[in-house]
Amino acid sequence: MNGYGHHPTSPYGPTSPYHEEEETFELTAPQIYRNPNSFDFQFQDSVPSARPIMPIRPGHNQNYSPPEYSLPWLQPTPRMSGGPDSFPNTPYESRSASPTLVRIRPVSAACHRPSHSRGRKPYATIPMKPTKLTQVSVAIKQYQNSQLQSAQSLTNLVDTPITPSFAKEWVQTGSGSIARLDDRDDVDIWKGWKRWVFKFTPFLTFTNTGLYLFYLGLRVYCIIMAQNAAGFSYAGAWVFVAIEIAVAIPSLMHNCWTMMALKKRGRAKLRLIGNECPTVDVFITCCGEEDEVILDTVRGALDQDYPNDRYRVIVLDDGRSASLEDSCSQLAMTHSNLFYMAREKIPGKPHHFKAGNLNYGLEQSLMLPGGASQFMAALDADMIPEQEWLRAVLPHLLVDPKMALACPPQLFYNTPASDPLAQSLDFFVHVIEPIKDAMGVAWCTGSGYVVRREALEDIGNFPLGSLAEDVATSTLMLGKGWKTAYIHEPLQFGTVPEDYGSHLKQRTRWAIGTVDTAFKLKFCAWGDAVKQMTIAQRFSGFLYATLSLYTLLLTASLFAIPIILLWGKQLVAYANQDQLHWLIWACFASTIANRLCEFALFIPAGYHTGQRGSRYQLWMSPYIALCIVRSFLLPKWLGGQTQAFKPTGSLGSTLNERDTNLRKNMFVRLRVILFNFMALFHFAFVYVTLVAVAISSYRCFYTESGFKGIVICLITHAFWPPLTFLFICSSLWTPVSYAIDPPTMPQREDLLIRDPKTGVAHPTKKSKKIAFGGQAAWFEFQYEIATIVTVLIFVYSFFF
């Protein structure tokens, strides 16, 4: 939420070298082969071409004899520790798919390669140990995995829910079973009266959509009637209607999607208990982030309530940091399941950023002792997992053999009060993603997800040549008939970018990646890549791609309001007083219905979170539109290239605007944000619009006589409810207000609770929530003013 920065789902630290390197993208490479089922993406060859820069850290017996395909640099080092059963020597196709697996037939000593593993050397000859039956009654369903019948999963859950204390002792209460803790996975996030109100969302949305369409139709009818009566064209009114329609498009599209929330989401809250657990390779991808940030994620991953011999933590360091390598070596002395890898990146040859790093990890894990695990999990460098992360996500894959991927929300612990730049993504993760999950089209949001290795191989591993490899991955899986799940539990917490420039770069990269992926997937409308998608899944893919493209229209429409007002034309045309009455009444009904709909829809994320998202769409649209034009419309000889937003000029240092000790003074911040980060457009737009409103209002007082005439003139020119210019100006002013008064945040360490013995750190309870600040109060005040004015105009309409 796109290289090492992805689609709307997961910020990367601003110091990553990828943020500089990925300004130019090469989508093809000589050493990459084209998978015949991969449309325009490319996938790496199955034979790894790069090697770690240090021996992989211990996770196996020192006396282990590597299989025939092992390389010399994979030999164990003297520091390696762990018993002979520390990680079973079984390839991932032969490991238990669930803790209650019963072997259907004996497996020969030599495990056969699956048919989709063409080009790989045979797996090692490994004796298979039968798994033991669970103590709880479960039904076992056989699942055919290519030539090897080894992937099976639970179909029935434990009858009696178990309430764990989330301490390490609780995992010993059972032996290989799944507990159903609640019928809803989000039971701890929001409950009570909020759920009752949210149930009315589809009906309120339907009402709101109907009233708004009626209002727009009435506007068009009245303009036509006014033109017929007056004998001339109302150009200003036509332009204003076009603006209203343009601004309404994303809302109407979201409304259509929201009405699908009528379909009940039935994702239960599950926990995997006991020690009979499937094996997992946890990849931590990093590239130049601060060592302490990465190590907090590593320690959190090593501190899972999960048997140490059933999962490995593999640090995939694309920054080749010597200090990080040394720190991992130290940790590996006490954690035998920790490994460090760093691929060699040859200058001039595309390395495909995060997707290439993940594919490298997939290939190298095949050569680890015991082969690859059946499941792969991934964490961003800054995402600290909660202790129950694996036990909470894996059951959703185990109960359904066609479930390819399960992903929890990305949450953050360093979001400033009021979240002035709308960095939290709360509306997306708490409202949009659960609705998408109910429709069977949950996205991979880039971090914290667990994926079935078989499903990854079915699509040729992570697709290359895309800035949104996570979205592309989950979409390709859906196109192949697999399922994806969204686990609505707070299971990981990371950091948002701490400066304005990094935020712009991150979000524009997400938008470009989403559009680029949509083009390659033909907007999920047709093609072999999406042939097994449902109608709802295709509509979702189309919707979120077109919303990014829509910023072009939205940005162009912003210019219309000040132009019309300076032009001196009225925004609303009508033939007689009755038509004006009906227009005001329809506008009032639509506005109030929209307010009620927003209140109900935003409840899971918080009302103010939804409002921030609406403002964010406006002030970010010029940046996204500019990058889309550069990436997809401009030819190269005119400066066109696929890249995220890039500041103009040369910046000698960052602004450090959230650090009271290091931040630049206000004049430097204003200069950099207005000129280098092109917020001068926002500044000019707001002032031109306010001047236009003042001039238009002056004309009403100058040309009209009497209170009634002046009020009607004001209403039909600048102050037509719900004061659209006020909402747009306050939204576009965001970069300027941020430069003048940026939020202050404490040091990262102050937001964490750290175990002094183990060094494991988790965010404080307070830091996990976004505080209500003065900016949120100011925006709410403006919103209420606009609503009150709408009500007053409605009441006054009965007296003229």
Side-chain angles (χ1 to χ4, degrees):
M1 254 222 181
N2 37 10
Y4 254 84
H6 34 275
H7 90 93
T9 69
S10 135
Y12 283 84
T15 59
S16 171
Y18 283 108
H19 297 165
E20 300 303 324
E21 290 184 61
E22 66 180 5
E23 299 306 336
T24 58
F25 300 95
E26 298 184 47
L27 302 184
T28 59
Q31 76 277 19
I32 304 300
Y33 77 92
R34 184 177 295 275
N35 188 311
N37 298 320
S38 66
F39 51 95
D40 290 327
F41 292 130
Q42 303 96 42
F43 301 91
Q44 288 181 328
D45 188 80
S46 58
V47 180
S49 58
R51 50 170 285 183
I53 62 174
M54 64 168 282
I56 299 176
R57 294 304 172 196
H60 54 88
N61 187 2
Q62 295 184 29
N63 299 320
Y64 171 74
S65 178
E68 58 181 348
Y69 52 74
S70 293
L71 301 177
W73 45 269
L74 278 174
Q75 299 295 336
T77 65
R79 288 185 292 178
M80 290 183 178
S81 61
D85 296 327
S86 62
F87 209 80
N89 296 328
T90 56
Y92 83 87
E93 287 87 353
S94 301
R95 292 190 185 161
S96 299
S98 77
T100 56
L101 176 65
V102 178
R103 188 70 58 190
I104 301 300
R105 62 177 176 81
V107 180
S108 62
C111 296
H112 299 288
R113 275 186 300 136
S115 59
H116 54 262
S117 304
R118 293 190 301 274
R120 292 193 182 135
K121 296 183 180 181
Y123 294 112
T125 300
I126 299 168
M128 301 298 297
K129 276 191 310 188
T131 57
K132 76 180 172 182
L133 292 173
T134 179
Q135 297 174 358
V136 297
S137 176
V138 297
I140 304 299
K141 181 178 181 181
Q142 180 178 354
Y143 175 68
Q144 182 74 30
N145 177 11
S146 201
Q147 298 178 7
L148 195 63
Q149 291 178 313
S150 61
Q152 302 160 351
S153 65
L154 294 170
T155 55
N156 291 342
L157 302 181
V158 180
D159 295 331
T160 305
I162 298 175
T163 304
S165 62
F166 299 117
K168 289 191 174 182
E169 290 71 25
W170 80 271
V171 300
Q172 301 174 3
T173 60
S175 176
S177 57
I178 295 176
R180 187 186 186 101
L181 305 186
D182 198 272
D183 291 337
R184 299 190 63 97
D185 56 358
D186 56 2
V187 63
D188 297 324
I189 296 178
W190 60 298
K191 60 185 73 174
W193 65 269
K194 294 182 178 180
R195 287 201 180 277
W196 287 100
V197 174
F198 189 74
K199 289 180 180 179
F200 292 97
T201 298
F203 307 101
L204 291 172
T205 302
F206 181 81
T207 302
N208 178 40
T209 303
L211 286 172
Y212 195 71
L213 291 176
F214 171 76
Y215 163 71
L216 291 177
L218 183 62
R219 286 287 309 280
V220 172
Y221 169 79
C222 289
I223 294 174
I224 295 175
M225 295 299 292
Q227 289 183 161
N228 292 337
F232 59 85
S233 176
Y234 285 89
W238 280 116
V239 174
F240 186 56
V241 167
I243 295 172
E244 288 186 302
I245 294 174
V247 174
I249 287 175
S251 298
L252 293 175
M253 295 179 72
H254 267 297
N255 286 354
C256 293
W257 180 251
T258 305
M259 282 186 280
M260 296 182 182
L262 279 169
K263 181 176 180 180
K264 185 179 179 181
R265 179 175 179 268
R267 190 75 62 194
K269 183 176 182 178
L270 307 177
R271 285 295 183 274
L272 179 63
I273 61 176
N275 292 322
E276 296 293 321
C277 302
T279 55
V280 186
D281 286 329
V282 178
F283 292 163
I284 299 177
T285 53
C286 52
C287 183
E289 293 85 357
E290 294 180 7
D291 284 1
E292 279 307 311
V293 172
I294 301 171
L295 290 173
D296 280 342
T297 301
V298 173
R299 295 188 193 101
L302 292 170
D303 192 48
Q304 289 296 295
D305 276 338
Y306 207 80
N308 286 341
D309 62 339
R310 305 304 291 171
Y311 82 108
R312 297 180 290 219
V313 177
I314 302 174
V315 179
L316 299 175
D317 181 18
D318 253 2
R320 303 184 66 177
S321 168
S323 57
L324 178 61
E325 175 186 343
D326 184 66
S327 297
C328 288
S329 299
Q330 296 298 318
L331 279 174
M333 297 178 69
T334 54
H335 297 277
S336 61
N337 59 336
L338 174 61
F339 297 78
Y340 174 94
M341 297 181 184
R343 57 178 175 158
E344 181 182 358
K345 295 188 288 187
I346 302 174
K349 291 188 177 182
H351 52 273
H352 299 289
F353 310 105
K354 185 180 180 183
N357 198 12
L358 287 169
N359 284 343
Y360 171 77
L362 291 172
E363 297 297 344
Q364 294 302 318
S365 64
L366 292 170
M367 292 181 282
L368 288 177
S373 300
Q374 181 185 2
F375 295 97
M376 186 218 89
L379 289 167
D380 285 352
D382 61 337
M383 278 286 170
I384 302 175
E386 297 290 276
Q387 202 175 57
E388 65 272 18
W389 166 51
L390 288 177
R391 290 192 178 272
V393 177
L394 269 166
H396 298 272
L397 292 157
L398 299 178
V399 297
D400 188 348
K402 291 299 292 180
M403 187 65 69
L405 181 146
C407 188
Q410 289 200 33
L411 304 172
F412 308 99
Y413 62 88
N414 70 331
T415 309
S418 296
D419 191 12
L421 301 181
Q423 296 176 285
S424 67
L425 301 176
D426 277 1
F427 181 68
F428 179 80
V429 301
H430 292 313
V431 179
I432 300 300
E433 271 288 75
I435 295 175
K436 287 162 62 69
D437 186 41
M439 303 309 299
V441 64
W443 266 355
C444 171
T445 54
S447 178
Y449 60 88
V450 180
V451 62
R452 195 182 297 271
R453 287 288 296 254
E454 180 191 356
L456 266 178
E457 290 199 352
D458 193 26
I459 64 169
N461 291 344
F462 291 96
L464 308 178
S466 171
L467 300 184
E469 86 291 329
D470 42 14
V471 178
T473 297
S474 50
T475 304
L476 289 174
M477 287 177 173
L478 294 173
K480 288 280 190 177
W482 293 94
K483 300 177 184 177
T484 57
Y486 179 69
I487 315 305
H488 198 184
E489 294 189 55
L491 297 173
Q492 59 175 344
F493 291 86
T495 57
V496 298
E498 296 183 344
D499 63 277
Y500 186 76
S502 297
H503 173 72
L504 293 185
K505 201 168 189 180
Q506 178 196 74
R507 296 305 175 90
T508 52
R509 186 170 56 238
W510 292 354
I512 294 171
T514 302
V515 174
D516 181 57
T517 302
F519 276 121
K520 292 174 179 176
L521 289 169
K522 301 175 183 176
F523 289 87
C524 296
W526 73 92
D528 292 338
V530 298
K531 62 182 178 181
Q532 295 190 50
M533 279 189 174
T534 65
I535 298 298
Q537 290 170 343
R538 296 186 186 216
F539 176 72
S540 174
F542 174 82
L543 171 65
Y544 288 96
T546 52
L547 284 180
S548 294
L549 288 174
Y550 163 76
T551 57
L552 297 172
L553 178 61
L554 179 59
T555 303
S557 68
L558 291 176
F559 292 94
I561 289 183
I563 291 175
I564 296 173
L565 294 177
L566 289 173
W567 191 9
K569 302 295 182 181
Q570 65 186 73
L571 302 179
V572 181
Y574 54 93
N576 52 57
Q577 290 279 54
D578 288 338
Q579 288 185 9
L580 178 59
H581 288 159
W582 277 104
L583 285 171
I584 292 174
W585 298 340
C587 182
F588 167 79
S590 177
T591 301
I592 298 303
N594 185 61
R595 296 291 189 267
L596 294 174
C597 182
E598 286 178 341
F599 179 78
L601 178 61
F602 296 162
I603 273 182
Y607 175 71
H608 298 288
T609 299
Q611 292 298 338
R612 285 194 296 269
S614 300
R615 298 177 187 278
Y616 165 83
Q617 288 182 350
L618 283 171
W619 73 262
M620 269 298 296
S621 61
Y623 291 111
I624 295 176
L626 176 63
C627 292
I628 289 177
V629 169
R630 286 176 177 172
S631 301
F632 303 106
L633 299 180
L634 281 183
K636 288 186 177 180
W637 59 273
L638 278 179
Q641 58 178 320
T642 304
Q643 67 173 33
F645 177 80
K646 191 173 184 179
T648 60
S650 176
L651 296 178
S653 61
T654 57
L655 297 176
N656 295 312
E657 60 262 28
R658 299 184 186 180
D659 190 322
T660 53
N661 298 320
L662 299 177
R663 68 167 53 129
K664 303 295 183 181
N665 63 63
M666 185 181 70
F667 297 103
V668 173
R669 297 196 304 264
L670 275 172
R671 175 178 58 81
V672 171
I673 290 179
L674 289 179
F675 294 97
N676 296 87
F677 293 117
M678 301 174 64
L680 189 62
F681 167 83
H682 300 71
F683 182 89
F685 176 88
V686 171
Y687 271 90
V688 170
T689 301
L690 293 178
V691 168
V693 169
I695 292 175
S696 176
S697 302
Y698 172 77
R699 288 196 186 106
C700 289
F701 284 98
Y702 182 76
T703 59
E704 297 293 333
S705 60
F707 180 78
K708 176 182 174 182
I710 293 174
V711 170
I712 292 178
C713 180
L714 291 173
I715 291 173
T716 57
H717 284 73
F719 294 91
W720 183 254
L723 305 186
T724 305
F725 81 89
L726 182 62
F727 181 77
I728 293 177
C729 286
S730 63
S731 301
L732 268 292
W733 191 251
T734 297
V736 183
S737 64
Y738 181 86
I740 295 173
D741 185 25
T744 297
M745 287 297 295
Q747 296 297 316
R748 192 180 71 91
E749 190 65 26
D750 297 333
L751 302 173
L752 300 171
I753 300 176
R754 190 177 299 277
D755 188 322
K757 294 183 179 179
T758 63
V760 176
H762 288 281
T764 64
K765 185 176 180 180
K766 181 180 179 181
S767 68
K768 293 178 179 179
K769 297 181 179 180
I770 302 174
F772 182 83
Q775 188 187 66
W778 170 244
F779 283 154
E780 183 60 29
F781 174 74
Q782 294 176 8
Y783 214 55
E784 294 306 320
I785 289 295
T787 305
I788 291 172
V789 169
T790 302
V791 173
L792 292 177
I793 292 175
F794 169 73
V795 173
Y796 183 69
S797 67
F798 290 96
F799 297 95
F800 65 80

